[in-house]
Amino acid sequence: MSRSAVLRSLQTIVPDTVIEQNEVRDIFASQPDVGRLAQRIIGASFNGSGIDSRHTVIGELSSAAHTDEPVFFDRESGLLRSPGTKVRNDLYVREASRLFVEVARRALDADPDIVAADITHVITASCTGFHAPGPEYEIVRGLGLSDGVQRYHLGFMGCYASMPALRAASQFCAADPDAVVLVVSVELCTVHLRSTEDPDLIVANSLFADGAAAGIVTARDLPTPTPGVRLDGFHTAIAAEGEPDMAWTIGDHGFEMILSTRVPQIIGETIIGAIRPLYAREGELAAAFDEGRVGDRVQHWAIHPGGRSILDRVQERLHLTDAQLHPARETLRVNGNMSSATILFVIKRILDDGASDGSRVAAMAFGPGLTAESALMTVATGAA
């Protein structure tokens, strides 16, 4: 029987510029094109987000920044500017390329048993910019990988994209037991934030942030115990009634997120049916799930923190404890919603918090469609 693939050597990076939630709230609320109703929506969205701070590649948003020719934010006047999509994408290309290579290198350097020559596949995920040659090419060239490495990019899928990336990596390893897959996600959501009175875009402004994550997936029997998770199974479900409530489109002044206030409700109504097939494959977990006790049998929950209200609804429907939601809520509090990279941040936090070898992890991420990606994992530290 073939060995299950393991995700190991997870590494994360955030840009240097920190934006405090109360400060960026006041910036958006003070724009001259924002009326009183929109100001109230901004206050409620930012204050109720569950976020204290976020990170951005836009240095102009730093309180210490001074720019003679501001592009995104004129700190002297307090005005947000509205550059076109090309300007925003150019910033994405420059900064994302650097982060893709840097976080991939950190994952490779963190693995005691894997070197560059071992990498057989590179899978990248991002929905906040486009360029070709793409990020998977940049990683191959930047890390000196073999030209023959198989390269795949999952583009414009949204917040759940790291899950199909891990699933594809697991499938590559099932097909080739010697495969070593580098999975990398970089999202620069803040390059698309802009002043608006649109409630959906206001919610997006209050949540999204920048971040990068990478890990190595392999089924090789490696000698050094390294914290990671065995990838046991995946499932995809679609709540078609939510299609108009979560979407990601391209506008003249950046990409535009549709994220309606109905999303938490839809997730709450559909989540049981969406993840039941995943648990049905495992006898004891299937019984516990049907009895509403799955939280008793699965210790760790890596839930994509799309927003505080989404986490609230998931916790309520699945009867999870505050401790089980802590990794997701803490990731949201200090980093915001970094789209597809976020779920990898949550998994890393679970491992860094000392999850015991053999304990189970349930992972879930939500995105346009409305798509729900779920996975079951097992902590594999190699500890006795």
Side-chain angles (χ1 to χ4, degrees), residues 171-218:
Q171 291 169 339
F172 290 145
C173 293
D176 177 5
D178 290 326
V180 178
V181 187
L182 188 56
V183 176
V184 191
S185 168
V186 174
E187 300 288 11
L188 305 185
C189 306
T190 66
V191 304
H192 300 294
L193 303 186
R194 62 182 175 87
S195 180
T196 181
E197 291 191 310
D198 184 305
D200 289 343
L201 295 180
I202 288 173
V203 172
N205 286 340
S206 73
L207 292 174
F208 285 99
D210 302 347
I216 292 171
V217 176
T218 185

Side-chain angles (χ1 to χ4, degrees), residues 265-347:
Q265 176 187 343
I266 295 169
I267 290 174
E269 292 172 350
T270 60
I271 190 171
I272 299 298
I275 64 176
R276 176 177 280 113
L278 180 65
Y279 292 86
R281 304 168 193 168
E282 303 202 17
E284 291 186 359
L285 283 186
F289 184 85
D290 288 338
E291 294 170 8
R293 299 183 296 104
V294 70
D296 297 337
R297 307 303 293 269
V298 178
Q299 182 177 355
H300 306 289
W301 291 77
I303 310 300
H304 169 67
R308 191 177 75 176
S309 56
I310 290 176
L311 294 179
D312 290 345
R313 193 58 59 92
V314 170
Q315 181 173 5
E316 174 191 350
R317 293 290 286 126
L318 297 180
H319 309 292
L320 304 179
T321 67
D322 290 344
Q324 288 171 317
L325 264 290
H326 180 75
R329 292 194 191 276
E330 192 65 7
T331 298
L332 181 67
R333 185 182 72 81
V334 300
N335 294 122
N337 181 345
M338 300 165 286
S339 191
S340 69
T342 321
I343 193 71
L344 299 177
F345 275 71
V346 179
I347 294 171

